[in-house]
Amino acid sequence: ILGVPAATLSFRPDAVMRGEWWRLFTHPFAHVSLYHLAWDGASFLCLYAALRGLGEGARRAIASAAAVGSLAVAAISPVFASHGLCGLSGPAHGLMAVYGAQLWLAGRTRGDRYVGAVAVLLTLAKSVYEAVAGQILFSAWHMGFVGAPNAFTHLGGAMGGLAIWIVLTSLSRPATHAAAARLALSRDS
């Protein structure tokens, strides 16, 4: 917000090893520029709001798992040790994958289910491509305003969000879950 990167909040492995444990929790909220904050924040908040039918506890669990997955998978990147991690794009990919999965499995119309399936598959395909290629798709469009993006973070976010969503849905009975998902989607309309 002050126009200076929040370096004391971003995740840096060396800093966490020195005892700066708060970075485990603050890295999604640190951004390298106002542009980065606006882009990540808008995407994340729109997707978080789209999941309002799931209940606040489930949304928080999904967002948290997406952030943890984003950090865990980003750690295998060659640039992780030197650049660390910050931002909400990984968790936003997790929310997108969950929203698409929810729409795919419980959409009211065939069109809803088709859009949901495409959303999940494109989110996962984009994330896998980025991890394999080692570069964020469309990163040149940002003109450097997002720092040095970690190509693994989106995949980790999608995997973390979907994993906890699957756990949450498997804890409820399938018939009950389908009815709840339809109700959640009808509330969104």
Side-chain angles (χ1 to χ4, degrees):
I1 293 175
L2 301 174
V4 178
T8 59
L9 300 178
S10 63
F11 187 90
R12 298 291 306 228
D14 56 335
V16 173
M17 296 303 256
R18 286 192 312 266
E20 297 178 14
W21 54 267
W22 62 84
R23 293 171 181 265
L24 287 166
F25 305 102
T26 59
H27 74 277
F29 307 107
H31 290 81
V32 297
S33 67
L34 286 173
Y35 172 85
H36 186 213
L37 174 62
W39 189 253
D40 275 5
S43 302
F44 180 86
L45 290 174
C46 288
L47 290 162
Y48 191 83
L51 295 176
R52 71 179 176 265
L54 291 176
E56 193 59 33
R59 287 192 304 171
R60 286 182 184 169
I62 292 165
S64 297
V68 169
S70 175
L71 179 61
V73 175
I76 66 173
S77 169
V79 299
F80 185 71
S82 61
H83 289 87
L85 185 67
C86 68
L88 285 166
S89 63
H93 277 70
L95 297 180
M96 183 66 214
V98 169
Y99 182 71
Q102 182 183 7
L103 194 59
W104 184 2
L105 298 177
R108 290 181 295 171
T109 67
R110 181 180 296 162
D112 286 348
R113 292 186 294 275
Y114 177 76
V115 167
V118 169
V120 172
L121 296 175
L122 281 179
T123 300
L124 291 173
K126 174 188 174 288
S127 300
V128 168
Y129 170 80
E130 290 171 342
V132 170
Q135 182 177 354
I136 300 293
L137 199 59
F138 310 119
S139 64
W141 293 5
H142 299 296
M143 299 175 287
F145 296 129
V146 294
N150 185 313
F152 292 83
T153 190
H154 296 162
L155 181 59
M159 290 169 49
L162 284 173
I164 195 68
W165 181 75
I166 290 167
V167 168
L168 291 172
T169 58
S170 69
L171 293 176
S172 63
R173 292 193 330 237
T176 303
H177 171 67
R182 283 189 182 84
L183 178 61
L185 288 172
S186 69
R187 288 182 194 157
D188 291 340
S189 302

